[in-house]
Each structure stands twice: as structure tokens, then as C-alpha cells.
């Protein structure tokens, strides 16, 4: 089918924003989703408790909507009902949003899953609405265990102060969810949280969410709009910790096997149980060195420079600012926190020289400092690099 002028413009804008070739962007018509797949289920959902449900929250009423449809298509291609239930909340326009119950479908470009809930024009980044949707998803699929995938734009802990360049999570008509609000809406007791969003493997984010789950999968840098390879990783979403490691390996392999600028990936599997120890050790180290001056010549994971903050490699920052015997203790704890880490040699053709699996921010701009000081990480660790 020949693309219209507006569709071509959207693709060019997406390719420009994410700095990857247009040929990597797949266009799925909205009609495929809402006319062929999003029909009201003829039968009521089965409310018998199952072993595990994975909830996927996709906020794509923005430039990522076609990538979102591709991700759903891939989920259907690799999903089997024997795994458990896979529910997807999806919003791609300003009119309606839906919860889909994913079902197996091998036909490429066709969304065949049933719609089990419909919402009107509520903002997907409104924390009150987001909390309601996640509660609805759990009610629609009672389970012993839940995992959560958060799919959208992301910029770590940054607040939406200018309505242009900062998106802590999601972006719907100029509204984003801050990481503090995200903490309040996410249910507790999750088996994992996976961020299919940029910059979320920062200590500020994972510490804010440490009481929600034991494991977090995220990227220190951007996530290209080709996203996670759901046609490969869906079975892993329903597995154990070894499956989570294998999921990360598949994600890394997917990008590491590409050529040129598309060979761009960082990924970490983080154990939240060790984060308090990291906070306490970092606090002690800084308090014992009150006169240190920060050396900023460390690995920065903000490669596109589209947001006004650095995301420094955590271990590298401490190694370059403190004695080896002191930073060694930080390294030992980070090795306990990071159960899996991998990075391509370059990201957007920029070398990655250091990668510990965790990043930390230095909010030089004063307008961000007040917000930063309200984060749980700052309150506990009192890590003040500004």
C-alpha cells in the first residue's frame, strides 16, 4: 500500500528524532489495530486466578505510535496462552485507549487481540488515570504474580518543567508522569519492571521504585524506536531470574548484530535489594571527603543531548573522584546490584568506554536541583555533586 504524504512526514520525523534510518521504522495502519483487532470480546474475560500476568502500559499518543503497533504485533507472534496472560494498555491517539488481551497470531501487520476494556480521551500520563488502568488490568486478570512493562518516552527522573524537553515517563499532549508519581501508581509486589523507555537505568529511578519489585530491566541510554524484540522475549517475561538474564541477552544480541548507527544498545538487570547498601556506602564516602571537587571527565550516556542533563556512569564517577580503596567498595556493591549488563562498543557511533550498568545524574541547573532533592535517592544517600 502506498504511503500518504502525512505518513511519510511522520516516518521522517521519527527517524530524525531517534537518529536511525527510515528503513527501520515499520508503519502499521491504525485501521489494522482498531478495525481488525480491537473488537469487544464476545465472552467475558476468564477471571480464574492464573500463575502470572504481564501488564504492558504503552503510552504512544506521540511520535512512537507506529512503533507501538509493531511491538504489539511482535507480542502476538511469540505469545502462547500456556505462558499466562499478557495484557496491553495502548493509547495512540487523543480519542480512545484500550486494554487488549494478547492472543497468538502469526500474521504480520495484523493485530488480532481482543479488546477487554475501552476508555475515552483520558490522558495516559495522568497518574490518577494510570493508576486506575493498572488496577483494572489486575482485576481483569487475577494472578499470583505480576510483571510490568512500561513502554513510552522516558528521561529518567527529570520533571516536566518546560513542557518541551523533559519526559520522566510517557508523553501525551504535553503531559508526562514524574518518577515520583510513577512510584505512587505502580503496584507493589511485582516480579519485575521492564522499561522500554530511554534513560531509566539511573540510580535515581531504580531507587525510587526499589520497594515495588526485586528486579528492574532498563537502559542507561536511549532505546531506539525499534524497541525490545518482543517476537523473541515474550516467553522470558513469564519466567524466572535466569529468563530475565536471557531476555537482556536477547535484547543486546538484537542490537549488537546490527550494522552502523543501529548497533546501539545498553541494558542492565538490577537487583533492588542491594540499593540501600549502595546508598549508605556512597553517603559515607562523600561525608568522609567534604572538600572533594568533581571530575566530570567520565562516561556520559546522554548521547543525543536532547535533554539538559548528564547521565554519568556510576562507578566511573566514583573512581575518578575518590581513592581506589574507597571507590572499590562502591564497585563491590554495584556488582551485587547488577545481575546482567551489556553495551555495544558504540552508541550512535559514539564510543562507550565505561559501563557499570548504572548511571547517576549531576543536575547543575538550579531549576532541577529542588526536584532532585525531593527524590528518595537524594534523601537517603545525600549524594550531592552540585
Amino acid at each position: 500500500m502506498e504511503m500518504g504524504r502525512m505518513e511519510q512526514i511522520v516516518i521522517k520525523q521519527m527517524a530524525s528524532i531517534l537518529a536511525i534510518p527510515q528503513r527501520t521504522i515499520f508503519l502499521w495502519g491504525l485501521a489494522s489495530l482498531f478495525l481488525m483487532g480491537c473488537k469487544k470480546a464476545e465472552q467475558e474475560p476468564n477471571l480464574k486466578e492464573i500463575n502470572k500476568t504481564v501488564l504492558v502500559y504503552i503510552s504512544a499518543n506521540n511520535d512512537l505510535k507506529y512503533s507501538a503497533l509493531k511491538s504489539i504485533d511482535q507480542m502476538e507472534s511469540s505469545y502462547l496462552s500456556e505462558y499466562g496472560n499478557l495484557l496491553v494498555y495502548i493509547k495512540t491517539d487523543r480519542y480512545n485507549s484500550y486494554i487488549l488481551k494478547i492472543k497468538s497470531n502469526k500474521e504480520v501487520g495484523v493485530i488480532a487481540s481482543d479488546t477487554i476494556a475501552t476508555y475515552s480521551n483520558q490522558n495516559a500520563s495522568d497518574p490518577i488515570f494510570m493508576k486506575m488502568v493498572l488496577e483494572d488490568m489486575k482485576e481483569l486478570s487475577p494472578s499470583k504474580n505480576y510483571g510490568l512493562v512500561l513502554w513510552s518516552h522516558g528521561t529518567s527522573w527529570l520533571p516536566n518543567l518546560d513542557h518541551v524537553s523533559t519526559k520522566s515517563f510517557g508523553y501525551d499532549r504535553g503531559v508526562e508522569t514524574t518518577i515520583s508519581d510513577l512510584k505512587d501508581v505502580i503496584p507493589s509486589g511485582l516480579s519485575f519492571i521492564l522499561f522500554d523507555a530511554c534513560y531509566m537505568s539511573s540510580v535515581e529511578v531504580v531507587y525510587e521504585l526499589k520497594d515495588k519489585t526485586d528486579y528492574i530491566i532498563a537502559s542507561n541510554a536511549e532505546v531506539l524506536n525499534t524497541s525490545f524484540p518482543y517476537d523473541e522475549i515474550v516467553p522470558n517475561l513469564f519466567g524466572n531470574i535466569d529468563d530475565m538474564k536471557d531476555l537482556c541477552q536477547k535484547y543486546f544480541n538484537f542490537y549488537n548484530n546490527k550494522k552502523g548507527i543501529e548497533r546501539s544498545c545498553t541494558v542492565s538487570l538490577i537487583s533492588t535489594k542491594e540499593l540501600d547498601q549502595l546508598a549508605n556506602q556512597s553517603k559515607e564516602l562523600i561525608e568522609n571527603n567534604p572538600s572533594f571537587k568533581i571530575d566530570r571527565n567520565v562516561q556520559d550516556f546522554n548521547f543525543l543531548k536532547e535533554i539538559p542533563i548528564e547521565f554519568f556512569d556510576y562507578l566511573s564517577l566514583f573512581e575518578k573522584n575518590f581513592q581506589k580503596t574507597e571507590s572499590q567498595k562502591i564497585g563491590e556493591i554495584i556488582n551485587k546490584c547488577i545481575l546482567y549488563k551489556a553495551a555495544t562498543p558504540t552508541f550512535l557511533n559514539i564510543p562507550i568506554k565505561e559501563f557499570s550498568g548504572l548511571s547517576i545524574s549531576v543536575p547543575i541547573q538550579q531549576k532541577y536541583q529542588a526536584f532532585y532533592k525531593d527524590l528518595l535517592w537524594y534523601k537517603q544517600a545525600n549524594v550531592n555533586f552540585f
Side-chain angles (χ1 to χ4, degrees), residues 33-34 38 88-91 93 95-100 115-119 133:
L33 177 61
F34 297 129
C38 284
V88 176
Y89 167 80
I90 173 70
K91 185 177 185 187
D93 61 44
Y95 302 108
N96 295 287
S97 58
Y98 309 87
I99 295 177
L100 306 178
T115 301
I116 58 175
T118 303
Y119 305 92
V133 170

Side-chain angles (χ1 to χ4, degrees), residues 105-281:
N105 176 52
K106 302 297 183 183
E107 190 173 355
V108 176
V110 175
I111 307 299
S113 298
D114 291 321
T115 301
I116 58 175
T118 303
Y119 305 92
S120 56
N121 63 346
Q122 294 96 329
N123 196 298
S125 294
D126 180 344
I128 296 176
F129 176 69
M130 187 176 184
K131 182 178 179 65
M132 180 185 73
V133 170
L134 291 173
E135 289 174 348
D136 288 350
M137 294 173 86
K138 291 184 70 174
E139 289 180 7
L140 288 165
S141 183
S143 301
K144 297 177 182 177
N145 301 288
Y146 292 93
L148 176 64
V149 177
L150 294 171
W151 193 115
S152 191
H153 282 296
T155 53
S156 187
W157 57 272
L158 281 173
N160 180 25
L161 295 181
D162 53 22
H163 295 276
V164 176
S165 61
T166 57
K167 322 176 183 73
S168 287
F169 175 76
Y171 187 86
D172 189 347
R173 289 171 288 173
V175 178
E176 298 99 20
T177 307
T178 68
I179 193 62
S180 300
D181 284 339
L182 201 60
K183 174 195 65 179
D184 293 336
V185 305
I186 291 177
S188 300
L190 296 170
S191 60
F192 70 87
I193 297 173
L194 186 155
F195 279 105
D196 197 338
C198 303
Y199 304 118
M200 305 307 273
S201 183
S202 74
V203 69
E204 296 88 359
V205 169
V206 298
Y207 197 84
E208 199 79 13
L209 303 179
K210 68 182 178 64
D211 295 328
K212 299 295 183 176
T213 181
D214 289 335
Y215 306 106
I216 295 175
I217 296 172
S219 170
N220 280 22
E222 291 87 352
V223 174
L224 301 190
N225 74 346
T226 33
S227 192
F228 276 67
Y230 291 98
D231 52 345
E232 299 180 27
I233 68 170
V234 163
N236 299 83
L237 296 174
F238 295 88
N240 55 28
I241 186 60
D242 290 331
D243 293 299
M244 293 293 102
K245 293 177 182 178
D246 185 54
L247 183 157
C248 294
Q249 183 70 54
K250 288 177 179 178
Y251 175 68
F252 172 72
N253 290 344
F254 176 72
Y255 285 100
N256 195 46
N257 290 331
K258 292 181 178 293
K259 303 295 183 182
I261 201 169
E262 293 180 82
R263 192 186 182 195
S264 299
C265 164
T266 70
V267 63
S268 302
L269 172 59
I270 301 159
S271 170
T272 60
K273 294 178 181 179
E274 313 295 338
L275 292 174
D276 277 329
Q277 186 181 359
L278 181 63
N280 294 335
Q281 184 62 50

Side-chain angles (χ1 to χ4, degrees), residues 223-362:
V223 174
L224 301 190
N225 74 346
T226 33
S227 192
F228 276 67
Y230 291 98
D231 52 345
E232 299 180 27
I233 68 170
V234 163
N236 299 83
L237 296 174
F238 295 88
N240 55 28
I241 186 60
D242 290 331
D243 293 299
M244 293 293 102
K245 293 177 182 178
D246 185 54
L247 183 157
C248 294
Q249 183 70 54
K250 288 177 179 178
Y251 175 68
F252 172 72
N253 290 344
F254 176 72
Y255 285 100
N256 195 46
N257 290 331
K258 292 181 178 293
K259 303 295 183 182
I261 201 169
E262 293 180 82
R263 192 186 182 195
S264 299
C265 164
T266 70
V267 63
S268 302
L269 172 59
I270 301 159
S271 170
T272 60
K273 294 178 181 179
E274 313 295 338
L275 292 174
D276 277 329
Q277 186 181 359
L278 181 63
N280 294 335
Q281 184 62 50
S282 301
K283 180 179 181 180
E284 179 182 335
L285 195 157
I286 291 172
E287 288 178 346
N288 291 339
N289 296 271
S291 61
F292 82 94
K293 294 183 179 180
I294 184 172
D295 179 353
R296 299 163 63 85
N297 185 30
V298 296
Q299 180 70 59
D300 184 4
F301 289 96
N302 184 2
F303 295 103
L304 289 178
K305 306 301 181 188
E306 292 186 335
I307 54 176
I309 200 76
E310 297 101 339
F311 296 106
F312 293 124
D313 185 82
Y314 195 101
L315 182 57
S316 176
L317 190 66
F318 276 81
E319 286 179 337
K320 286 184 170 57
N321 282 283
F322 301 98
Q323 297 294 323
K324 183 177 180 180
T325 54
E326 295 176 312
S327 62
Q328 217 167 23
K329 297 177 182 177
I330 297 294
E332 291 171 358
I333 301 172
I334 287 181
N335 287 336
K336 295 179 182 178
C337 290
I338 307 301
L339 304 182
Y340 177 97
K341 63 178 181 179
T344 49
T346 62
F347 200 105
L348 304 179
N349 290 335
I350 301 171
I352 297 177
K353 298 179 180 179
E354 299 167 297
F355 181 62
S356 65
L358 197 64
S359 66
I360 186 171
S361 303
V362 181

